[in-house]
């Protein structure tokens, strides 16, 4: 048991490593591609079919989101949301909240971006998701929105254009609008890889849609073209399918033997490549042809081969009905009355059942056509409203232009007065400018004066220190010279001391250079005295204690004590 578990774990790890390695290589390819359309095509081809393993899905796509964030790429982030929606639809095998949420995130992401191509194929993908799980009514608006965007998009910029246009063509054919289905396929055909299965499929589908519209002559060239491509590509499966479609055309033209040969070719190739459904339909068709030619035994043989390939599912009811009708015809041809009645009863039961469904489908298609017409009518009304609004804007524009002309005339009339006023304003500005220049010059002079005062004080301070030194040296050597120097020092100190008169002049200059400085100090500390303000002003000039003592006429110790008292007042 443990060994088996170990093997399972190892197998899971190997698979996980392979997925991570493959994902890393895909991300490298995406990152290396510089063309945005091709980059998105690489991204949208990433593996999303992990069945119910949603963890594997998330791990596989996580590097794409990392790359989108790293490159700040909205298109890559949009592709991530689209792939996650696809992956969860496969995991749940039905319409589900997780897929719906990712489609919503993708739509909101590009809602305000100028990316009509992504908005179009986003609607196509979400519509086809709903259509695949037979939520046809819910799918309808998305395909209509995508169709509206067709005129805005650049088809050369649409990633995986053939795939997306095949999705929308398939839907329109389903609801009976063959013309629109053909139009989408013809637009995409030039962008399809040459000799590819996609090109064979699309070319053949155009023929099928023409046939559904009962335009057999238009269908035939596309069948032939599809067969030529399939032959070059050596695609035997498609060669068989197209042969069956060509058989219908030949039969309508009366070439019965050629038609039968083509259907038999289809049967042979379908069985060879295990295309069971196509083989079943082809056997039924050739049986109908042989019954028409009254070759009852051969017809009966092909009916048996066709019925052996039918399953007990609703899809096969229409084929069982056709088989019962042909068998009744064969029994009548052989004269087997009881068997004919039995097959006819079976045919009628199946026919009634299918007609009930057909009536519902017919009513549904009528409803869809009505919805299309109503949608188109709403668009026309919206366009008419836009035109009306545009016309209103034009009227408003004319009124505004007339108003503008009137304003211009009024402006021209008052132009002279405006020019005079402009001249006066220029004069006033020149006067103000001149006044400012005078004030600037005055302030410059005052700053220079204050600087000169500070420099002089510092110079005098130096001179005073020198004189005091000389007095000290001459007191013993030459008392008379010392006395003379002392008298000179006293006179200098007297002239140096800042009297009240000098303080007022100094304060006038100081206030001009440092406007509101002393006034702010006084407002912040009302207890400051005039002496305190003198001290503050001298401190602002960065004078030392000695210079302050000489200016204030006090000792150095007195200055220090005054500073201490000032500090206490300021700190309170």
């Amino acid at each position: 048991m443990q060994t088996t578990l170990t093997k399972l774990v190892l197998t899971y790890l190997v698979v996980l490593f392979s997925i991570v390695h493959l994902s890393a290589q895909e991300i490298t390819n995406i990152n290396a591609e510089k063309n945005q359309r091709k980059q998105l095509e690489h991204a949208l081809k990433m593996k999303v079919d992990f069945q119910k393993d949603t963890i594997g899905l998330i791990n596989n796509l996580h590097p794409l989101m990392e790359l989108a964030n790293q490159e700040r790429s909205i298109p890559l982030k949009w592709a991530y949301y689209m792939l996650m929606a696809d992956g969860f639809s496969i995991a749940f095998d039905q319409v589900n909240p997780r897929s719906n949420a990712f489609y919503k995130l993708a739509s909101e992401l590009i809602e305000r971006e100028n990316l009509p191509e992504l908005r179009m194929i986003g609607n196509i993908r979400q519509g086809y998701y709903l259509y695949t799980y037979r939520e046809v009514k819910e799918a309808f608006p998305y395909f209509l929105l995508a169709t509206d965007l067709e005129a805005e998009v650049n088809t050369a910029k649409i990633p995986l254009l053939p795939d997306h246009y095949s999705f929308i063509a398939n839907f329109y054919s389903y609801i009976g609008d063959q013309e629109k289905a053909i139009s989408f396929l013809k637009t995409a055909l030039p962008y399809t890889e040459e000799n590819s299965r996609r090109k064979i499929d699309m070319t053949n589908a155009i023929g099928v849609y023409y046939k559904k519209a009962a335009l057999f002559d238009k269908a035939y060239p596309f069948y032939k073209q599809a067969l030529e491509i399939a032959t070059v590509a050596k695609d035997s499966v498609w060669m068989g399918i197209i042969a069956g479609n060509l058989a219908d055309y030949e039969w309508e033209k009366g070439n019965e033997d050629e038609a039968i040969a083509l259907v038999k070719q289809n049967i042979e190739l379908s069985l060879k490549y295990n295309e069971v459904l196509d083989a079943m339909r082809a056997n039924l068709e050739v049986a109908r042809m042989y019954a028409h030619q009254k070759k009852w035994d051969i017809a009966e043989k092909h009916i048996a081969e066709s019925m052996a390939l039918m399953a007990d599912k609703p899809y096969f009811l229409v084929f069982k009905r056709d088989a019962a009708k042909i068998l009744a015809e064969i029994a009548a041809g052989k004269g087997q009355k009881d068997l004919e009645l039995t097959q006819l009863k079976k045919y009628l039961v199946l026919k009634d059942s299918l007609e009930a469904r057909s009536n519902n489908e017919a009513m549904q298609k009528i409803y869809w056509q009505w919805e299309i017409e109503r949608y188109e009518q709403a668009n026309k009304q919206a366009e008419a409203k836009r035109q009306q609004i545009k016309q209103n804007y034009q009227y408003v524009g004319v009124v505004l232009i007339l108003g503008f002309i009137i304003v211009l005339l009024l402006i021209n009339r008052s132009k002279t007065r405006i020019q005079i006023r402009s001249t006066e304003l220029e004069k006033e500005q020149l006067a103000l400018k001149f006044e400012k220049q005078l004030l600037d010059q005055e302030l410059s002079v005052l700053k220079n004066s204050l600087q000169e005062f500070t420099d002089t004080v510092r110079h005098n301070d130096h001179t005073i220190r020198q004189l005091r030194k000389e007095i000290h040296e001459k007191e013993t050597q030459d008392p008379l010279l010392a006395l003379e120097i002392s008298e000179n020092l006293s006179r200098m100190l007297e002239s140096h001391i800042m009297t009240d008169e000098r303080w007022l002049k100094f304060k006038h200059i100081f206030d001009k250079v440092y406007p509101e400085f002393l006034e702010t100090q006084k407002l912040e500390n009302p207890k400051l005295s005039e002496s305190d303000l003198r001290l503050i002003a001298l401190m602002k000039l960065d004078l030392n204690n000695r210079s302050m003592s000489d200016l204030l006429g006090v000792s150095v110790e007195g200055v220090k004590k005054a500073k201490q008292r000032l500090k206490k007042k300021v700190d309170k």
Side-chain angles (χ1 to χ4, degrees):
M1 178 68 179
Q2 189 173 0
T3 305
T4 305
L5 184 60
T6 305
K7 285 181 179 178
L8 287 172
V9 171
L10 287 172
T11 303
Y12 178 77
L13 290 173
V14 168
V15 171
L16 184 61
F17 174 78
S18 300
I19 291 169
V20 171
H21 178 71
L22 181 60
S23 177
Q25 183 59 49
E26 288 173 333
I27 295 300
T28 302
N29 293 338
I30 293 167
N31 197 22
E33 182 58 65
K34 300 307 176 187
N35 180 286
Q36 188 183 86
R37 176 182 63 79
K38 291 182 179 178
Q39 188 181 57
L40 275 174
E41 286 180 344
H42 282 306
L44 291 172
K45 287 179 181 177
M46 288 183 71
K47 181 181 177 182
V48 294
D49 187 357
F50 289 83
Q51 296 301 313
K52 296 188 180 299
D53 182 11
T54 54
I55 301 299
L57 169 69
I58 293 167
N59 289 338
N60 187 59
L61 295 181
H62 180 67
L64 179 61
M65 177 57 94
E66 287 185 330
L67 177 62
N69 290 331
Q70 177 186 322
E71 298 294 322
R72 296 182 179 178
S73 171
I74 288 175
L76 285 181
K77 196 171 184 179
W78 172 88
Y80 169 80
Y81 290 143
M82 282 287 149
L83 292 172
M84 288 293 283
D86 289 347
F88 276 101
S89 73
I90 293 169
F92 287 98
D93 196 26
Q94 62 181 1
V95 172
N96 64 90
R98 295 295 297 275
S99 292
N100 294 342
F102 280 113
Y103 279 123
K104 185 179 179 183
L105 286 171
S107 177
E108 290 173 349
L109 179 67
I110 59 171
E111 186 176 355
R112 297 178 183 176
E113 302 293 328
N114 185 26
L115 297 168
E117 291 79 19
L118 296 193
R119 282 191 285 130
M120 182 184 186
I121 64 173
N123 280 308
I124 290 174
R125 291 175 77 97
Q126 189 166 0
Y128 202 68
Y129 149 76
L130 292 165
Y131 167 66
T132 300
Y133 294 108
R134 287 298 178 260
E135 300 283 347
V136 181
K137 185 178 178 182
E138 288 73 16
F140 202 70
Y142 292 100
F143 287 112
L144 291 179
L145 287 170
T147 305
D148 279 350
L149 286 165
E150 187 184 8
E152 296 181 31
V153 302
N154 180 349
T155 49
K157 291 184 178 180
I158 296 179
L160 303 178
L161 175 68
D163 292 344
H164 292 118
Y165 274 29
S166 291
F167 292 162
I168 195 168
N170 193 355
F171 176 80
Y172 274 116
S173 175
Y174 176 77
I175 66 171
D177 193 342
Q178 309 304 331
E179 183 181 353
K180 195 158 285 184
I182 291 166
S183 173
F184 275 107
L185 289 186
K186 284 186 174 181
T187 300
L189 208 55
Y191 298 91
T192 311
E193 184 183 350
E194 290 297 324
N195 302 325
S196 63
R197 273 207 154 192
R198 171 60 72 190
K199 189 144 194 168
I200 301 168
D201 183 11
M202 290 172 64
T203 308
N204 179 70
I206 293 173
V208 171
Y209 297 158
Y210 272 127
K211 180 191 171 187
K212 286 184 178 181
L215 299 170
F216 299 103
D217 288 338
K218 286 189 175 182
Y220 181 75
F222 285 96
Y223 288 149
K224 292 292 287 183
Q225 186 181 342
L227 184 59
E228 288 170 8
I229 300 170
T231 303
V232 172
K234 298 180 180 179
D235 193 324
S236 300
V237 174
W238 269 109
M239 287 168 66
I241 294 170
I242 299 164
N245 291 335
L246 283 169
D248 292 339
Y249 176 81
E250 295 295 344
W251 186 267
E252 292 292 331
K253 291 291 183 181
N255 303 323
E256 295 184 0
D257 291 340
E258 189 172 343
I260 290 171
L262 285 167
V263 179
K264 284 186 172 182
Q265 182 185 346
N266 185 11
I267 295 169
E268 181 184 348
L269 292 171
S270 297
L271 290 173
K272 181 178 179 180
Y273 294 100
N274 200 32
E275 294 291 329
V276 177
L277 290 178
D278 201 51
M280 178 270 295
R281 288 191 293 265
N283 270 298
L284 194 61
E285 181 62 19
V286 80
R288 181 184 65 78
M289 291 176 176
Y290 277 126
H292 176 78
Q293 293 181 338
K294 303 189 185 311
K295 296 179 180 179
W296 310 120
D297 292 336
I298 303 175
E300 193 170 20
K301 170 179 169 292
H302 283 286
I303 285 285
E305 289 176 2
S306 177
M307 294 185 70
L309 298 173
M310 294 181 191
D312 190 18
K313 292 182 179 180
Y315 172 80
F316 292 93
L317 288 178
V318 65
F319 302 110
K320 289 181 178 180
R321 177 203 64 189
D322 293 343
K325 184 180 179 183
I326 296 169
L327 285 172
E329 188 179 349
I330 293 169
K334 288 184 172 184
Q336 300 169 341
K337 297 295 182 183
D338 292 341
L339 183 58
E340 180 187 1
L341 287 173
T342 301
Q343 293 299 335
L344 280 173
K345 286 179 183 178
K346 187 184 292 185
Y347 165 73
L348 290 172
V349 169
L350 291 168
K351 181 173 177 287
D352 290 343
S353 175
L354 286 166
E355 279 182 353
R357 294 189 181 200
S358 296
N359 288 336
N360 289 336
E361 287 182 4
M363 291 299 294
Q364 186 65 54
K365 287 181 180 180
I366 291 168
Y367 167 76
W368 287 328
Q369 288 298 325
W370 177 74
E371 280 288 317
I372 291 174
E373 290 170 6
R374 192 175 67 162
Y375 184 81
E376 289 174 349
Q377 185 62 33
N379 281 347
K380 287 178 182 177
Q381 290 175 354
E383 182 61 29
K385 189 175 181 181
R386 281 195 291 270
Q387 290 297 329
Q388 183 62 47
I389 292 170
K390 184 179 178 181
Q391 196 173 41
N392 291 341
Y393 279 133
Q394 288 173 343
Y395 290 148
V396 171
V398 170
V399 171
L400 289 174
I401 290 169
L402 290 173
F404 182 69
I405 292 170
I406 293 169
V407 170
L408 281 178
L409 292 172
L410 292 173
I411 289 171
N412 285 331
R413 287 185 62 188
S414 60
K415 191 174 182 181
T416 304
R417 283 180 291 174
I418 292 171
Q419 287 176 342
I420 293 170
R421 181 58 183 157
S422 297
T423 304
E424 290 175 353
L425 286 172
E426 286 178 6
K427 289 180 180 178
E428 289 176 8
Q429 288 174 351
L430 287 171
L432 288 171
K433 187 176 181 182
F434 180 70
E435 185 179 346
K436 183 177 182 300
Q437 287 177 344
L438 290 177
L439 289 172
D440 289 343
Q441 288 175 358
E442 182 184 352
L443 182 60
S444 178
V445 170
L446 291 172
K447 282 184 177 179
N448 290 335
S449 299
L450 192 60
Q451 186 62 43
E452 287 175 7
F453 168 78
T454 306
D455 293 341
T456 302
V457 169
R458 288 173 178 161
H459 177 71
N460 288 346
D461 183 43
H462 178 71
T463 304
I464 290 166
R465 284 201 302 273
Q466 288 295 111
L467 289 173
R468 282 175 174 157
K469 185 178 180 183
E470 288 182 19
I471 291 170
H472 181 69
E473 290 174 352
K474 300 297 183 181
E475 277 180 343
T476 55
Q477 298 175 5
D478 191 345
L480 292 174
L481 181 58
L483 180 60
E484 184 182 349
I485 294 169
S486 178
E487 288 174 354
N488 288 335
L489 177 60
S490 296
R491 283 195 295 274
M492 180 177 283
L493 288 171
E494 287 175 4
S495 64
H496 198 46
I497 291 173
M498 186 179 285
T499 62
D500 289 342
E501 184 181 353
R502 288 174 180 168
W503 161 248
L504 289 174
K505 290 181 181 178
F506 169 81
K507 185 172 182 295
H508 174 73
I509 296 172
F510 186 90
D511 284 340
K512 289 282 187 182
V513 177
Y514 299 106
E516 299 183 359
F517 178 76
L518 293 176
E519 185 179 347
T520 302
Q521 297 293 325
K522 184 71 174 174
L523 286 172
E524 291 178 355
N525 300 283
K527 293 182 180 180
L528 293 176
S529 64
E530 201 68 20
S531 298
D532 294 329
L533 294 176
R534 290 184 196 184
L535 186 61
I536 289 170
L538 296 175
M539 289 168 65
K540 177 69 174 174
L541 297 177
D542 202 24
L543 296 177
N544 59 33
N545 290 344
R546 169 60 66 186
S547 296
M548 290 186 209
S549 72
D550 292 337
L551 281 169
L552 297 174
V554 297
S555 65
V556 174
E557 288 300 320
V559 171
K560 290 180 179 178
K561 288 181 180 179
K563 282 185 175 181
Q564 289 173 356
R565 288 195 296 274
L566 177 62
K567 189 172 186 304
K568 287 180 181 178
K569 286 184 181 181
V570 172
D571 289 344
K572 284 184 179 179

